[in-house]
Amino acid sequence: MIRCLAIDDEPLALQQIASYINKVPYLELAAQCQSALEARQFLEQETVDAIFCDINMPDLNGMDFVKSLAVSPLIVFTTAYAEYAVEGFKVNAVDYLLKPFGLQDFQRAAERLKDRSLPPLPSKEEGDSTDDTIFLKTEYRIVRISISNIRYIEAMSEYLKVYLEGEAKPIITLLSMKKMEERLPDYFMRIHRSYIINLKKIQEVNKNRIIMDADTYLPIGDMYKDAFLQYLDTKFLGK
């Protein structure tokens, strides 16, 4: 989840931004503030991943507020004044929403936030072949996991559930199956549009199902069946 702070001195505009944040499944509204000074007080106690910030506000305008932050989260500026656009991008803003904007415009800005919030995983060629670990962002933490401990991965809309050896609950992370596939070594295989498995963790193959343990039966999709059967042939002993 991308934890967001909304800042606008106009109550109706602030309510609209908060409503839009709540409509996007990978955004979470941490707080809403009616001034930059109020937001500064909030950030002294809390951290956020992104800020939706109006520019033209009394006491301290949004641009100066962002410039004053020692560690700046991802920024999306919201304002009725188009002349601020160039200055907004000078401070490396992710996007600039010109009022009045609708949900579709907001969702495009949210997509850009999502793209910037998760750095791309290194490819197999770029990574250190001796390093068996990756980092995944989950909730408000970044956790290090051993690739060899991954049992299987399940796609769930825009998220992945990563099931680990010896762990009852999966790690849930905002990531695509494609990006995960690119990072995993050769002993992982996509067997279904919703599943990637660690081939070393298979206990049994029964018709069109792969049994990972007594409680986990995963389907083999038609698109992936031939590749899996070819792998099985290379390991099969007997007639």
Side-chain angles (χ1 to χ4, degrees), residues 2-223:
I2 301 172
R3 188 169 152 85
C4 303
L5 173 64
I7 312 170
D8 201 304
D9 64 312
E10 299 176 10
L12 288 178
L14 186 61
Q15 183 179 352
Q16 181 194 46
I17 295 169
S19 171
Y20 285 169
I21 289 172
N22 288 327
K23 290 181 189 305
V24 179
Y26 51 83
L27 299 185
E28 177 189 2
L29 180 64
Q32 43 188 315
C33 300
Q34 285 192 252
S35 72
L37 296 178
E38 182 185 348
R40 180 179 285 172
Q41 291 177 346
F42 173 80
L43 291 174
E44 288 175 356
Q45 305 295 326
E46 302 281 347
T47 60
V48 296
D49 303 307
I51 298 176
F52 290 86
C53 185
D54 186 25
I55 293 178
N56 193 27
M57 294 186 291
D59 299 324
L60 179 63
N61 72 49
M63 193 71 65
D64 290 336
F65 165 70
V66 169
K67 290 178 181 177
S68 73
L69 295 174
V71 178
S72 178
L74 299 173
I75 304 295
V76 175
F77 283 118
T78 63
T79 184
Y81 300 93
E83 60 267 27
Y84 287 118
V86 173
E87 190 177 356
F89 287 113
K90 284 182 180 177
V91 296
N92 201 29
V94 173
D95 208 348
Y96 183 96
L97 290 171
L98 188 62
K99 297 178 182 178
F101 54 85
L103 179 59
Q104 190 172 6
D105 296 319
F106 184 89
Q107 286 174 325
R108 280 196 293 269
E111 282 293 319
R112 293 188 177 116
L113 276 179
K114 183 174 72 170
D115 291 342
R116 288 275 292 271
S117 68
L118 290 172
L121 293 171
S123 67
K124 293 176 186 177
E125 290 77 16
E126 293 171 338
D128 179 356
S129 61
T130 63
D131 189 1
D132 180 50
T133 60
I134 55 174
F135 288 89
L136 294 176
K137 186 174 182 180
T138 178
E139 296 177 335
Y140 314 125
R141 303 173 296 132
I142 296 177
V143 297
R144 180 174 186 156
I145 65 172
S146 172
I147 294 174
S148 59
N149 281 343
I150 298 174
R151 298 175 58 241
Y152 67 97
I153 298 158
E154 179 182 4
M156 181 184 65
S157 186
E158 295 174 320
Y159 295 85
L160 298 181
K161 289 182 176 180
V162 181
Y163 291 84
L164 301 175
E165 197 73 47
E167 298 290 338
K169 293 183 178 180
I171 291 174
I172 300 177
T173 185
L174 181 64
L175 197 64
S176 70
M177 289 285 266
K178 185 175 183 296
K179 282 187 178 290
M180 180 62 87
E181 273 189 290
E182 289 171 353
R183 179 60 181 87
L184 293 173
D186 293 339
Y187 57 87
F188 283 83
M189 180 177 286
R190 185 94 171 253
I191 59 157
H192 188 276
R193 63 190 302 270
S194 299
Y195 294 103
I196 298 172
I197 64 166
N198 184 337
L199 296 167
K200 297 180 180 181
K201 306 293 184 183
I202 296 174
Q203 289 192 2
E204 186 178 330
V205 180
N206 189 332
K207 296 182 179 178
N208 289 327
R209 297 185 304 175
I210 294 174
I211 301 172
M212 306 298 289
D213 57 46
D215 300 314
T216 309
Y217 294 68
L218 304 181
I220 304 171
D222 291 339
M223 286 179 56

